[in-house]
Amino acid sequence: MEEVVQYAVQDKVAVIRVANPPVNALSLSVRLGLRAAILRAAEETEALGIVIAGAGRTFPAGADIREFEGPASAPHLPDLSDLIEMCPKPVVACLHGTALGGGFELALAAHLRLAAPGTRVGLPEINLGILPGAGGTQRLPRLVALDVALDLMLSGRPVALSKENTRDLVDGIVDGDLISAGVAQAKRLAVAGYQTTRARRERFQDMARYQSTLARARQKHGGGPVRAADAILDCVEAAPLLPFAQGQALERDHFNELRDTREAAALRHGFQAIRVAAKPRPGLPAPRAIKEIAVVGGGFMGSGIAVTALDAGLGVTLIDTPAAIEGGAGRIADIYGRAVKRGTVPAATRDRRLRDLSPGTDIAAIKDADLVIEAIPDDEAAKTALLAEIGGQAKPGALLASNTSYLDIDRLAVASGRKDDFLGLHFFSPAHVQQAVEVVMGEETSAAAEATAFGFAAMLRKRPVFARNHPGFIGNHILNAYRHACDCALEDGANPAEIDAAMRAYGFKMGPYQALDLAGLDISWAHRRREVAQGHGPKRYVRIGDALCEAGRLGQKTGLGYYAYDTGKQTGREDPAVAQLIESERAIKGISPRNVPRAEIQREALIAMVHAGSKLLERGAALRAGDIDVVMMLGLGFPRHKGGPMKAGEHFGLLRILRALQARAEDDPFWDPSPVLFEAVKNGSRFGP
């Protein structure tokens, strides 16, 4: 155990360091080592107290979630927390880097907590569909204000600590030598005495306020699709009412129950899939250095990409036409202005980032950029002309990228004249908010370009996903299948509001027609026309969206789309004119409308997405099923508690999906099931690791 848990005595205090890189996860070997070290320190006469810290760059940043897939092995984290808390000698936790999940729960069990400035602490278990299971729901409300405790557990977001803002999550911030400060505090407590966390009840003095805070939290977070929120609230409510051991037992019962739920399994899958997708493929060379980038196109997407790069500390040249550049720069300033008002970005940081922005109209200004991203609207003629200019102006060795959503990367690469240094960097809208970025490889994209693109995405703190050139790449290919299934339900008899409600009930924040109205119907209309021209359109073509565009209904920007919008409002209302238009389209095809149940809408949408994903895997356009899930969850709003469409398909039953597709394939070859789907069924209805 010595290699993962280090033990030394410093100035009559046992110093225990966890050394399990990269994040000092609390694996079984670490737990065994910690138990042995704490028991040793408790018995060692030379040691007056104990300091627990992390070696390397961080305090333990949580449990090893791979262990959640099977029976847990002793010592369990709750027992380790109890061992720390009930130790006969004072225990000081010295936090640096990140102290998350089980790591922070161990710190809560210590008798005093110190932290280096900027340490991030949190209890993110809700993001995995579970609750803090090592005493967190019982100890944290004893140490901090209830609203702080609930925010940490229900949001899952970590908090960065400073001297000005500890929120009582630690007892002190140490600028100097953290371990020496911990040793001094342990020696002080050995003389002055200390109180265990479980014995503290001062936060429970005003029970009326405690209960009202809980009630507000239940109203906001209770009853959701992820049951962990309700379990957290139940345990926190029990903290002042039950003896500590009984509250801890309640917490553990909830933890064990939640760990085996479908939601928790899906969230764990998503967590692991995100980590795997973001790793560059093995064997790539080192990425090239990127310090300056240029974004050509200052519209909504281009300005969002620019903000993301500015946030990463990069210099950004923004190029657009004389008529548009002022709007692009103003859009960026407005994004930062709103962030300052929200308190998420200090004014000084806003000013520094805006100084790193160089807006202009001369394409020659890109000559010093290490990366140039083209981000104008998806018009192939306009993009190819612009990329020819970019290829002529960019310095040798610069990475060139297009933010296209649909266009052929190889055709654009030819236009750039830099095929080996060209690829797609498809950000999702809004680019400064959404986490996913598709790194789209052309036939001749070099390994160096691929490595540099992944390195750039990591600099932006985005989640890159490898994709090969394919119509719609990953995300929009799946999105098109999803929308087509909804369009078929619309043509069969459902109305837009019913379909939107069905998919919101499934877990999407917006239904497909709400999203189309927000984005603009003309974008998808142009894509459908390109697909038909290239022979990629579906066998069953639904013209309802086309008819809306032909009638001038382009969504929120025109005030009319699938819904009608009152001036200044983003929430639409049902419009009888749309119902009439849909009826006309049905009549042209001779379709008698029927009732389409909500469950059928959801089922057909999922089947379409799984089928489309299987085709991507068959063609090599996506490397892994998990990569498809990452793009859909982080880029296009697929509910994370379902794990992405491919994971949701496994839970729904791939054999059921396969049978449904086989039945349709007899009449419609568009639905011909992929061999990947057959293979997944043979593999126990799983798409693989």
Side-chain angles (χ1 to χ4, degrees):
M1 302 309 158
E2 291 181 358
E3 67 272 13
V4 292
V5 176
Q6 302 166 353
Y7 185 96
V9 176
Q10 178 178 327
D11 195 14
K12 296 185 178 181
V13 170
V15 177
I16 301 169
R17 286 185 172 91
V18 176
N20 183 29
V23 296
N24 288 329
L26 294 164
S27 61
L28 175 60
S29 60
V30 171
R31 298 196 303 275
L32 287 167
L34 277 172
R35 181 176 66 180
I38 293 165
L39 291 173
R40 174 182 173 183
E43 294 177 0
E44 191 161 343
T45 55
E46 185 185 354
L48 300 175
I50 301 170
V51 165
I52 298 177
R57 61 186 178 91
T58 186
F59 195 79
D64 185 343
I65 69 167
R66 291 173 298 183
E67 295 185 14
F68 291 173
E69 302 300 331
S73 299
H76 306 296
L77 273 178
D79 300 329
L80 204 54
S81 295
D82 289 347
L83 182 66
I84 290 170
E85 188 172 46
M86 303 312 293
C87 183
K89 296 179 181 180
V91 180
V92 176
C94 290
L95 318 181
H96 79 288
T98 54
L100 303 176
F104 189 47
E105 287 184 280
L106 292 184
L108 295 175
H111 306 123
L112 189 133
R113 286 152 295 284
L114 300 177
T119 300
R120 298 167 75 239
V121 303
L123 294 172
E125 284 85 354
I126 194 167
N127 295 326
L128 296 175
I130 55 177
L131 49 61
T137 67
Q138 303 303 294
R139 290 190 177 97
L140 190 59
R142 286 171 158 81
L143 294 171
V144 304
L146 182 58
D147 58 344
V148 174
L150 289 174
D151 180 63
L152 214 63
M153 289 186 276
L154 293 172
S155 73
R157 292 188 298 267
V159 172
L161 301 177
S162 65
K163 286 186 176 180
E164 298 74 28
N165 182 25
T166 66
R167 303 188 190 184
D168 296 323
L169 291 163
V170 295
D171 298 289
I173 301 293
V174 178
D175 288 319
D177 188 322
L178 184 61
I179 300 299
S180 295
V183 167
Q185 287 293 338
K187 292 173 67 177
R188 182 185 67 80
L189 292 179
V191 175
Y194 53 90
Q195 188 179 29
T196 62
T197 304
R198 69 177 63 198
R200 297 181 61 170
R201 296 191 62 83
E202 58 266 31
R203 294 287 182 180
F204 301 153
Q205 296 303 309
D206 188 347
M207 284 304 297
R209 183 175 181 180
Y210 193 94
Q211 291 294 338
S212 65
T213 302
L214 264 174
R216 289 194 300 273
R218 281 195 189 278
Q219 188 173 17
K220 182 177 180 180
H221 298 280
V226 180
R227 287 170 273 178
D230 289 304
I232 288 169
L233 290 164
D234 287 346
C235 290
V236 170
E237 183 175 24
L241 304 177
L242 296 178
F244 183 86
Q246 291 183 25
Q248 198 174 31
L250 175 67
E251 174 190 90
R252 200 61 192 170
D253 286 344
H254 276 301
F255 179 89
N256 289 331
E257 180 183 353
L258 290 168
R259 188 183 67 170
D260 296 329
T261 62
R262 182 170 289 183
E263 293 84 3
L267 288 164
R268 287 196 300 272
H269 161 79
F271 178 84
Q272 292 169 321
I274 289 167
R275 294 176 67 182
V276 170
K279 293 179 180 178
R281 291 193 298 164
L284 293 180
R288 300 169 189 161
I290 293 182
K291 296 180 180 178
E292 300 280 336
I293 79 161
V295 179
V296 184
F300 189 71
M301 284 300 300
S303 56
I305 295 169
V307 166
T308 301
L310 291 167
D311 286 346
L314 297 172
V316 178
T317 298
L318 183 70
I319 302 297
D320 210 325
T321 63
I325 190 62
E326 186 177 345
R331 195 173 292 109
I332 293 169
D334 184 56
I335 289 171
Y336 280 121
R338 292 197 302 271
V340 170
K341 284 184 179 179
R342 290 194 304 269
T344 55
V345 173
T349 301
R350 181 262 324 266
D351 295 342
R352 183 172 65 252
R353 290 172 182 169
L354 289 178
R355 285 195 297 271
D356 290 336
L357 175 69
S358 301
T361 59
D362 186 357
I363 194 71
I366 71 172
K367 62 184 176 58
D368 295 323
D370 304 303
L371 163 64
V372 183
I373 302 175
E374 169 276 306
I376 65 172
D378 259 357
D379 178 281
E380 185 169 1
K383 280 187 183 285
T384 52
L386 175 59
L387 286 166
E389 284 191 77
I390 289 172
Q393 295 287 344
K395 68 181 182 180
L399 180 64
L400 308 186
S402 174
N403 183 55
T404 180
S405 302
Y406 292 105
L407 298 180
D408 188 311
I409 289 296
D410 290 315
R411 291 165 66 96
L412 298 180
V414 170
S416 76
R418 308 269 195 104
K419 291 186 285 186
D420 57 337
D421 279 331
F422 188 90
L423 45 68
L425 276 179
H426 179 223
F427 292 78
F428 291 84
S429 183
H432 61 291
V433 175
Q434 301 287 43
Q435 291 183 284
V437 178
E438 291 176 317
V439 179
V440 188
M441 306 297 291
E443 284 291 333
E444 298 187 46
T445 303
S446 68
E450 179 184 344
T452 303
F454 269 80
F456 173 65
M459 291 174 66
L460 303 187
R461 295 187 177 179
K462 297 291 186 183
R463 303 294 187 174
V465 178
F466 178 94
R468 288 193 172 90
N469 191 22
H470 181 276
F473 314 137
I474 295 175
N476 281 314
H477 180 73
I478 304 292
L479 182 64
N480 289 339
Y482 162 58
R483 286 176 174 168
H484 181 257
C486 292
D487 283 347
C488 291
L490 184 65
E491 197 172 60
D492 284 343
N495 64 49
E498 289 171 340
I499 295 171
D500 283 341
M503 299 318 298
R504 288 197 306 270
Y506 185 77
F508 283 88
K509 289 185 178 179
M510 299 180 72
Y513 301 114
Q514 292 173 298
L516 282 165
D517 273 2
L518 178 63
L521 273 62
D522 50 331
I523 297 173
S524 55
W525 186 32
H527 169 67
R528 287 193 298 274
R529 285 181 290 180
R530 280 196 303 270
E531 273 199 324
V532 170
Q534 295 167 5
H536 297 312
K539 184 174 181 180
R540 178 179 176 180
Y541 191 92
V542 180
R543 281 201 75 261
I544 293 170
D546 298 5
L548 288 169
C549 291
E550 290 163 359
R553 303 181 70 106
L554 303 183
Q556 288 186 21
K557 59 188 175 185
T558 62
L560 295 171
Y562 283 93
Y563 299 94
Y565 297 85
D566 296 324
T567 303
K569 292 188 178 181
Q570 293 185 332
T571 302
R573 51 184 169 79
E574 294 185 66
D575 188 343
V578 174
Q580 293 173 5
L581 183 148
I582 293 171
E583 276 301 322
S584 297
E585 290 298 320
R586 289 171 182 156
I588 291 170
K589 287 190 174 181
I591 295 173
S592 298
R594 64 179 178 86
N595 175 56
V596 185
R598 174 174 289 188
E600 180 182 336
I601 295 168
Q602 296 170 343
R603 181 185 71 240
E604 294 303 308
L606 178 61
I607 288 174
M609 286 186 275
V610 173
H611 177 241
S614 300
K615 290 290 187 182
L616 286 175
L617 294 171
E618 176 190 346
R619 297 162 186 164
L623 291 180
R624 295 165 290 254
D627 291 359
I628 297 169
D629 289 334
V630 171
V631 170
M632 292 303 295
M633 288 187 294
L634 300 188
L636 291 166
F638 193 95
R640 291 185 71 160
H641 67 275
K642 293 187 182 292
M646 308 306 278
K647 188 65 176 178
E650 289 180 357
H651 283 159
F652 179 77
L654 294 185
L655 183 58
R656 293 167 66 189
I657 291 175
L658 182 58
R659 286 170 176 162
L661 291 171
Q662 285 178 302
R664 295 169 202 177
E666 295 176 4
D667 301 316
D668 186 352
F670 175 75
W671 284 103
D672 185 27
S674 164
V676 169
L677 194 53
F678 284 92
E679 191 65 26
V681 172
K682 285 199 300 182
N683 289 339
S685 286
R686 294 197 64 183
F687 282 107

